[in-house]
Amino acid sequence: MGAQKSIHAGRAKIDVNVDFTHKLCTSLMFPAFRDTSSPLSLVIGSLCIKHPNLFGGSEKLDVSWDKGLYDSNVLVAFRRPRPEWRPQQCFFIQHSLSPEIGVYGTPVDNFSRSGSGGVNLSKLAVGLDLSEPASSKWSSTTSVKFEHVRPINDDGRAITRDLDGFPITCSGNTHDSMVVLKQESRFAKATDQGLSHFTMQIEQGIPVVSKWLIFNRFKFVASKGVRLGPAFLLASLTGGSIVGDMAPYQAFAIGGLGSVRGYGEGAVGSGRSCLVSNTELALPLNEMTEGTIFLDCGTDLGSSRLVPGNPSLRQGKPGFGYGFGYGLRFKSPLGHLQVDYAINAFNQKTLYFGVTNLASST
């Protein structure tokens, strides 16, 4: 499904990876017994360059590039060595280009798929990450970045309004700029009988310039897993909210794989707030295969009307949805294969097929 090659040039290491399976789990989604929808996140090639000792003092330079059919991402990261008891620093520059489907995508086939809304986001970010030393089961990261967001259409031209004539940016111009201070805390505990995970993210827009966005956004993810004999029950709850200045593309998108299965990406709704629950019971069938049953629910908590331009209402999204179904998980030399069959609240059946390459996930 792919090819990988490592090249050593002096002290630098170049990893070249052309991979047709990475992120298929988020790209191949099609209604059962119908034609497949167009893949939106399929990564068809990647390039990674690593230098472990850039200036002779164990400074690390990582350059990565991922190219998909409709999106791309370039990341340059520079790390300086510091004592283990001090926060680890990482300077980064990142540019990404991707279609904005979660907010501007148009639901079709009883909300089981989301078509392109003609809006793409070009993002440039420059910043610094500070990773605190792990303490017991807790870890935290603080970051500050400058972000420049420019909406473009499918032809690559800058736009300020969507197909219905509503503004895309908060500023009303061809771009939004912001300085964002982010704090992320993580808790992880695992035993033979289960696991507990908790993540909290808080972002604050800093008004360095009067026209830059000022907002506060938080998001949490809480997961609990319990072993029930040979079976394993995993339940998770995800929520968040944003107050202050807001562009429509900053809304929480609900629906799709990793959110509410049975719906297209963002087809349940997009709002200033969200709450999503996922429950899955896995039962081993043999050493290489697991069977699962799942139930997903999600809601925008009635906050879609608070998003500028109310794109969710204009597209007829319900604001609440649930999906249930069953699936299979396979372990293979190619990676982890996943097949999910989901039914949404409109009785629309959707089949998800995915492969996560083991080399790509490490």
Side-chain angles (χ1 to χ4, degrees):
M1 299 293 286
Q4 185 170 355
K5 178 70 175 179
S6 295
I7 303 173
H8 293 269
R11 294 184 177 181
K13 179 184 179 184
I14 302 176
D15 294 329
V16 181
N17 181 29
V18 179
D19 185 7
F20 289 90
T21 62
H22 183 46
K23 290 187 180 178
L24 271 175
C25 205
T26 60
S27 63
L28 288 187
M29 179 189 74
F30 48 92
F33 316 117
R34 292 175 179 262
D35 294 335
T36 61
S37 63
S38 58
L40 296 174
S41 303
L42 175 59
V43 172
I44 59 176
S46 62
L47 173 68
C48 182
I49 301 175
K50 299 182 179 182
H51 199 302
N53 193 19
L54 187 61
F55 299 119
S58 298
E59 300 90 352
K60 297 180 180 180
L61 176 67
D62 295 338
V63 180
S64 62
W65 170 77
D66 293 307
K67 182 65 178 74
L69 294 178
Y70 303 99
D71 55 2
S72 63
N73 184 73
V74 178
L75 175 63
V76 179
F78 174 74
R79 297 175 176 86
R80 295 191 304 178
R82 307 189 77 190
E84 294 183 359
W85 51 272
R86 298 188 63 185
Q88 300 303 303
Q89 295 180 346
C90 176
F91 300 90
F92 65 88
I93 301 175
Q94 184 176 20
H95 179 267
S96 64
L97 176 63
S98 61
E100 177 45 71
I101 301 296
V103 175
Y104 288 103
T106 304
V108 295
D109 287 342
N110 284 331
F111 301 92
S112 65
R113 293 190 297 140
S114 293
S116 172
V119 177
N120 304 270
L121 296 181
S122 174
K123 297 182 179 181
L124 174 64
V126 180
L128 169 67
D129 282 340
L130 293 175
S131 299
E132 298 288 341
S135 175
S136 182
K137 300 176 179 62
W138 285 92
S139 61
S140 65
T141 301
T142 302
S143 66
V144 59
K145 68 177 179 179
F146 166 78
E147 190 171 38
H148 180 89
V149 182
R150 186 169 66 98
I152 60 177
N153 61 17
D154 293 335
D155 297 325
R157 298 178 181 177
I159 54 177
T160 60
R161 297 181 178 273
D162 60 24
L163 297 178
D164 294 328
F166 288 85
I168 300 175
T169 60
C170 180
S171 65
N173 300 322
T174 57
H175 65 272
D176 281 329
S177 297
M178 62 198 85
V179 171
V180 182
L181 178 64
K182 178 180 177 181
Q183 173 69 38
E184 179 174 347
S185 299
R186 297 172 297 274
F187 172 84
K189 179 182 178 182
T191 66
D192 294 338
Q193 300 302 316
L195 59 85
S196 298
H197 287 172
F198 179 77
T199 301
M200 171 68 80
Q201 298 176 354
I202 299 177
E203 295 179 326
Q204 177 65 54
I206 302 175
V208 177
V209 178
S210 60
K211 293 183 179 181
W212 291 4
L213 275 63
I214 309 172
F215 61 90
N216 182 273
R217 174 189 175 106
F218 83 90
K219 179 181 178 180
F220 72 88
V221 180
S223 302
K224 179 67 175 180
V226 180
R227 189 165 298 281
L228 304 173
F232 191 81
L233 177 64
L234 179 63
S236 65
L237 184 66
T238 302
S241 186
I242 180 172
V243 296
D245 297 336
M246 177 186 182
Y249 56 78
Q250 292 179 302
F252 292 94
I254 308 165
L257 196 62
S259 178
V260 182
R261 283 165 285 190
Y263 291 82
E265 183 179 354
V268 173
S270 54
R272 276 187 176 263
S273 303
C274 76
L275 198 61
V276 176
S277 67
N278 309 99
T279 305
E280 184 167 300
L281 179 66
L283 183 67
L285 304 179
N286 54 49
E287 293 182 357
M288 305 295 291
T289 308
E290 287 184 342
T292 65
I293 57 174
F294 59 85
L295 172 64
D296 302 333
C297 300
T299 174
D300 62 16
L301 300 173
S303 64
S304 62
R305 57 185 176 84
L306 303 177
V307 176
N310 201 345
S312 184
L313 177 65
R314 286 187 280 125
Q315 295 154 3
K317 297 179 181 180
F320 171 81
Y322 63 87
F324 60 92
Y326 54 88
L328 292 173
R329 309 287 184 266
F330 305 94
K331 297 178 182 179
S332 76
L334 295 176
H336 296 289
L337 284 71
Q338 174 180 343
V339 179
D340 284 334
Y341 181 82
I343 304 173
N344 66 16
F346 299 92
N347 202 34
Q348 182 67 47
K349 304 171 180 63
T350 306
L351 184 66
Y352 299 87
F353 170 77
V355 182
T356 303
N357 191 298
L358 290 176
S360 303
S361 60
T362 57

